[in-house]
């Protein structure tokens, strides 16, 4: 394990970014597999409360994947085939690697109550828009899709931070 909190946060941020890019450039099992390796590195080198953090990551991954599934079913997101029944594995993997950041490199976001409500509705949709520009996902109706994604992130991101604080207090600083 890395002793320095700053070092852990930097590695966490780098693993998340690399995992996001792996999934977006290789949507499918390859990207998801890379994220599994990054999660192993995260638990070996960054996490200080492995079991608790694994539970929190599981909770957020399920919640985020359900939200993405709803977006696919309602036409807010599309994979180009229009036939997605479940959230694709690469998006599930992105949720898992993203969840690691909430207790580490994005922990600062929870220190101001208002900050998640400002940051999430912009950053969340931006990530999907960026993935659409690379070709990993489609936003069939750009503006309505971005608005729906913004509202979704306005709700889910603060809820995830609240869940961490309430259910997993040892992960909150």
């Amino acid at each position: 394990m890395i002793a320095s909190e700053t070092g852990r946060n930097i590695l966490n941020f780098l693993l998340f970014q690399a995992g996001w890019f792996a999934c977006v450039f290789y949507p499918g099992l390859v990207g998801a597999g890379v994220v599994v390796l990054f999660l192993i590195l995260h638990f070996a080198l960054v996490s200080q409360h492995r079991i608790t953090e694994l539970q929190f990551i599981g909770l957020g991954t399920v919640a985020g994947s359900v939200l993405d599934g709803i977006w696919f079913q309602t036409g807010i997101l599309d994979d180009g085939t229009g036939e997605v029944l479940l959230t694709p594995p690469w998006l599930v993997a992105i949720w898992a690697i993203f969840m690691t950041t909430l207790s580490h490199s994005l922990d600062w976001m929870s220190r101001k109550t208002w900050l998640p409500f400002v940051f999430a509705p912009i950053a969340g949709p931006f990530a999907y828009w960026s993935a659409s520009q690379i070709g990993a996902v489609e936003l069939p109706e750009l503006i309505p899709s971005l608005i729906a994604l913004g509202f979704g992130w306005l709700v889910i991101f603060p809820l995830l931070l609240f869940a961490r604080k309430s259910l997993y207090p040892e992960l909150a600083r």
Side-chain angles (χ1 to χ4, degrees), residues 47-97:
S47 182
Q48 294 180 301
H49 305 281
R50 290 178 180 98
I51 300 300
T52 305
E53 191 171 2
L54 181 61
Q55 292 171 356
F56 175 60
I57 290 168
L59 173 76
T61 300
V62 169
S65 297
V66 167
L67 185 58
D68 278 350
I70 291 169
W71 286 334
F72 275 104
Q73 294 301 310
T74 57
I76 293 164
L77 294 177
D78 197 309
D79 71 340
T81 68
E83 299 175 10
V84 173
L85 297 175
L86 298 173
T87 304
W90 65 274
L91 270 172
V92 174
I94 287 177
W95 275 103
I97 199 76

Side-chain angles (χ1 to χ4, degrees), residues 26 40 51 113 144 157 159:
Y26 301 100
I40 291 168
I51 300 300
T113 306
F157 189 73
L159 280 176

Side-chain angles (χ1 to χ4, degrees), residues 2-171:
I2 297 173
S4 159
E5 180 180 349
T6 301
R8 289 192 306 272
N9 285 340
I10 290 170
L11 180 58
N12 173 255
F13 175 78
L14 293 173
L15 289 171
F16 166 68
Q17 292 299 316
W20 187 89
F21 279 109
C23 286
V24 169
F25 282 113
Y26 301 100
L29 295 179
V30 171
V34 169
V35 166
V36 169
L37 294 175
F38 290 168
L39 287 168
I40 291 168
L41 281 173
H42 171 81
F43 283 107
L45 300 174
V46 176
S47 182
Q48 294 180 301
H49 305 281
R50 290 178 180 98
I51 300 300
T52 305
E53 191 171 2
L54 181 61
Q55 292 171 356
F56 175 60
I57 290 168
L59 173 76
T61 300
V62 169
S65 297
V66 167
L67 185 58
D68 278 350
I70 291 169
W71 286 334
F72 275 104
Q73 294 301 310
T74 57
I76 293 164
L77 294 177
D78 197 309
D79 71 340
T81 68
E83 299 175 10
V84 173
L85 297 175
L86 298 173
T87 304
W90 65 274
L91 270 172
V92 174
I94 287 177
W95 275 103
I97 199 76
F98 169 72
M99 289 302 298
T100 69
T101 68
L102 298 187
S103 298
H104 300 283
S105 60
L106 286 182
D107 177 64
W108 59 272
M109 190 82 54
S110 64
R111 295 187 190 137
K112 301 275 187 198
T113 306
W114 57 269
L115 200 51
F117 295 98
V118 173
F119 176 79
I122 296 166
F126 180 74
Y128 289 88
W129 176 82
S130 299
S132 77
Q133 297 304 296
I134 296 169
V137 71
E138 293 179 8
L139 305 173
E141 298 289 331
L142 182 62
I143 299 302
S145 289
L146 290 174
I147 290 170
L149 291 166
F151 277 118
W153 275 86
L154 178 67
V155 172
I156 198 163
F157 189 73
L159 280 176
L160 291 171
L161 292 175
F162 178 76
R164 183 191 69 165
K165 181 179 178 183
S166 304
L167 303 174
Y168 310 101
E170 59 271 31
L171 298 178

